[in-house]
């Protein structure tokens, strides 16, 4: 019901006048332009980076794997017991070790131990064993297997003794804890194959390990070259 005493809005400009929304400043537009420009530059830079390295990699010489062997005998396949009988007195065992072994992307490897340690005391013979370690190095994008084998041999201690038919070798005699010489080892490469032979023979003595290790190396090399 109409109430003459009530306060109603009177005609005229009582409500707030219409206000235009604030205009976007030129600074915001410039900021957007800068953002889009930076994104475009980043995209162009990334494209140039990939094009540069793609072109650079295409110019790199291909790795020469012409001398890499695809396969070779490994571990216990290097020697037969008959071949090692002159070096290990009495009866002995042939056992692959768990230290290294398997076929990986970068190498194939195995190790084998030929030893009379379980029987030498009962037979009254000196303890003797041969441990052979074999690796076939596989090429990657920057190195051939031959280069990798050469690099690994370079880390081995000892001096070259000139094993016939090998690419390179390292030989040394090893002192025991009581300063005696009862062991020696030899490492050699043939293409991308690296072979190490450790020979222990009690009471054999200093300057006595070169010849047997040279003979074992010749046998091992014959297995690789066929």
């Amino acid at each position: 019901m109409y109430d003459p005493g009530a306060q109603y809005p009177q005609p005229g400009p009582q409500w707030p006048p219409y206000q235009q929304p604030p205009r976007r400043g030129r600074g915001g537009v410039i900021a957007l332009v800068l953002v889009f420009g930076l994104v475009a530059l980043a995209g162009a830079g990334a494209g140039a980076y990939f094009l540069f390295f793609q072109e650079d990699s295409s110019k790199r010489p291909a790795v020469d794997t012409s001398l890499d062997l695809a396969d070779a005998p490994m571990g216990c396949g290097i020697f037969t017991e008959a071949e090692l009988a002159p070096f290990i007195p009495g009866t002995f065992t042939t056992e692959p070790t768990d230290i290294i072994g398997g076929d990986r992307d970068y190498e194939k490897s195995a190790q084998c131990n030929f030893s009379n340690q379980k029987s030498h005391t009962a037979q009254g013979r000196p303890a003797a064993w041969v441990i052979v370690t074999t690796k076939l190095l596989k090429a990657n994008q920057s190195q051939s297997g031959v280069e990798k084998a050469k690099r690994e041999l370079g880390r081995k201690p000892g001096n070259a003794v000139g094993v016939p038919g090998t690419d390179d070798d390292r030989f040394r005699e090893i002192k025991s804890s009581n300063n005696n010489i009862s062991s020696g080892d030899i490492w050699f490469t043939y293409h991308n194959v690296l072979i190490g032979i450790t020979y222990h023979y009690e009471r054999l003595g200093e300057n006595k390990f070169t010849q047997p290790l040279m003979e074992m190396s010749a046998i091992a090399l014959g297995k690789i070259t066929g």
Side-chain angles (χ1 to χ4, degrees), residues 195-213:
I195 292 185
I197 304 169
T198 300
Y199 183 38
H200 174 89
Y201 194 109
E202 286 185 354
R203 301 188 299 274
L204 191 57
E206 191 173 356
N207 300 322
K208 299 294 184 180
F209 287 92
T210 307
Q211 187 59 36
L213 281 168

Side-chain angles (χ1 to χ4, degrees), residues 64 67-68 137 144-151 167 191-192:
D64 181 10
L67 295 178
D68 287 5
L137 286 304
S144 67
V146 172
E147 291 170 322
K148 291 169 73 174
K150 181 179 180 180
R151 184 182 63 184
D167 295 336
H191 295 349
N192 58 322

